[in-house]
């Protein structure tokens, strides 16, 4: 009996995921992160921008030959899931430059700030809110350790909830978190910078570099990059590089609604570059100054926003889970401080090698943006609802994910060091095949006897539908390892038997198993196994 191809892929993927986890050398935290950063450079995924000049521009990165393909495939997975799979979502591509009043209306000129604090000894600058959040997370970690220890001690009879509410040390830690959280929330809501500094002092937070608590005052810093339009510098000519793609959607709301005859509820999706003058830009491509967003604004009837907010939370987590990464790697986190536009907001957090951090935001933005643009432009941005026979400004649910951050999450999960049966190690990128930069490598066993020519024929057969490559240098073993490190799911080996009977071997990246198939079967097999369709059908 022939197994359904999507089922085959799923079974194969799940089997290999568990084998890999068993074999994988357990690299954690900083070490794993360092390995990923150097792997990304060594194998042509990501380079520091303009690196030849004094080590390049900080917090700006270029995608190399494999990085560009992987990024393109992630973008495609998002775009198809949003636009192709929903008949009420359309995609646009708005310009990066927008009329400067856009950013006055959106609130970015006045409120797109980070609270910054400097340590006078190390001269390092930090985000005050991040210092406080990290300090609270450390206390949370202490609680979890206490709970873990107690669970081991008491065995099956252990009641974690009871322990958390009665153990003196845990209760003390929890009280500290609750009290800090409440002060923190109020300080953020009131833009109270003195109070933020006081919390840092009260929590005895020290600079990780100098170890001292010699802090400056906290002050606000606007994150937008500005430039001049035309040749004359002057206040009236100042325009901004967009700090989010969302506003390009809002200002085009009526254009799209009318020309596309869209009926509410409907969505507008867009991917594109955004720019933020991040002061504390660290952690590789996690926080960059130039990055790419994939955003979707979903316009709904007022009063239905809570229902759609919940629905989009589920739809987006399902998009992530369909990649097959462990469920425990994701969690929802409700925002402590709501952005100036938000009525409700949460993040989908991913466990990066440096801990759980925001990967995607889901925001219930009310009618804030459209109303602001109505007010500042003097143009009506309303929808006539034929069912209600009335016009209104729609409410908006936004889903917003950083493409680069998604790239980092994918690389972090895919990167594995396996110990093989013979004791040797191999580095493998365990990417879902539909995301892999190269789908198949065609490898002539030897660089002679007509084998390279036969390999070129196979490249020609497959290249119209897939990115494939051919390599004839080095031993076959070394070439397999190189493709493993790039994440190529299939290596097709051409040997002397190929010349006799037109068969080749296909080696599967994760299991390293090989099967012999006829060349006539190759296109169908590769198509089935690297297709994105199976993933999209699961959404
Ligand atoms: N339109 C809403 C908005 O822009 P955000 O939470 O500021 O919301 C959305 O950004 C997503 O963009 C984040 O979840 C993150 O994935 C990504 N992102 C934000 N700032 C980034 C940066 N400096 N570098 C890389 N990605 C970033």
């Amino acid at each position: 009996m022939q197994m359904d191809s999507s089922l085959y892929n799923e079974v194969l993927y799940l089997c290999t995921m568990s084998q890999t986890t068993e074999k994988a050398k357990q690299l954690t935290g900083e070490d794993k992160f360092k390995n990923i950063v150097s792997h990304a450079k060594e194998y042509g995924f990501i380079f520091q921008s303009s690196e030849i000049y004094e080590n390049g521009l900080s917090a700006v990165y270029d995608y190399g030959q494999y990085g560009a393909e992987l990024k393109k495939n992630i973008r495609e997975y998002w775009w198809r899931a949003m636009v192709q799979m929903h008949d009420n979502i359309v995609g646009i591509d708005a310009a990066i430059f927008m009329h400067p009043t856009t950013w006055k209306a959106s609130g970015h000129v006045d409120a797109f700030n980070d609270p910054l604090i400097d340590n006078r000894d190390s001269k390092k600058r930090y985000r005050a809110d991040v210092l406080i959040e990290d300090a609270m997370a450390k206390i949370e970690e202490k609680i979890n350790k206490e709970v873990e220890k107690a669970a081991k001690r008491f065995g099956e009879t252990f009641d974690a909830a009871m322990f958390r509410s009665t153990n003196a040390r845990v209760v003390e830690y929890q009280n500290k978190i609750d009290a800090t959280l409440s002060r923190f929330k109020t300080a953020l809501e009131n833009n109270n910078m003195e109070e933020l500094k006081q919390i840092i002092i009260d929590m005895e937070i020290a600079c990780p570099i100098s170890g001292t608590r010699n802090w400056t005052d906290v002050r606000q810093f606007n994150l937008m990059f500005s430039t001049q339009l035309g040749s004359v510098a002057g206040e009236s000519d100042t325009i901004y590089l967009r700090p989010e793609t969302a506003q390009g959607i809002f200002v085009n709301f009526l254009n799209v609604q009318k020309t596309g005859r869209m009926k509410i509820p409907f969505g507008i999706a867009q991917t594109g570059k955004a720019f933020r003058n991040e002061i504390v830009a660290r952690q590789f491509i996690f926080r960059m100054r130039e990055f790419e967003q994939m955003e979707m604004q979903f316009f709904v009837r007022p009063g239905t926003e809570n229902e759609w907010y919940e629905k989009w939370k589920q739809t987006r987590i399902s998009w992530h889970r369909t990649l097959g990464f462990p469920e425990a790697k994701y969690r929802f986190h409700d925002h402590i401080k709501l952005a100036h536009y938000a009525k409700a907001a949460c993040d989908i957090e991913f466990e990066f090698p440096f801990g759980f951090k925001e990967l995607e935001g889901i925001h219930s933005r009310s009618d804030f943006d459209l109303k602001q643009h109505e007010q500042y432009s003097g143009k009506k941005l309303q929808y006539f609802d034929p069912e209600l026979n009335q016009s209104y400004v729609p409410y908006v649910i936004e889903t917003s994910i950083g493409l680069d951050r998604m790239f980092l999450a994918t690389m972090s999960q895919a990167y594995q060091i396996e110990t093989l049966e013979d004791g040797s190690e191999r580095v493998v990128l365990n990417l879902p095949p539909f995301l892999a930069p190269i789908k198949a490598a065609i490898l002539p066993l030897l660089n002679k006897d007509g084998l390279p020519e036969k390999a070129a024929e196979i490249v020609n057969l497959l290249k119209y539908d897939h990115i494939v490559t051919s390599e004839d240098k080095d031993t076959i073993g070394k070439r397999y390892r190189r493709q493993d490190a790039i994440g190529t799911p299939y290596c097709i080996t051409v040997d002397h038997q190929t010349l006799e009977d037109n068969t080749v071997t296909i080696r599967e990246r994760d299991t390293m198993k090989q099967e012999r198939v006829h060349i006539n079967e190759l296109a169908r097999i590769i198509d089935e196994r690297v297709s994105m369709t199976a993933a999209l059908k699961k959404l």
Side-chain angles (χ1 to χ4, degrees), residues 139-157:
I139 305 178
E140 185 78 49
E141 252 172 52
K142 285 186 189 167
I143 295 181
N144 291 340
K145 278 203 181 121
E146 292 291 337
V147 175
E148 259 173 47
K149 265 198 294 181
K152 273 193 197 138
R153 210 168 48 240
F154 293 112
E156 279 187 2
T157 57

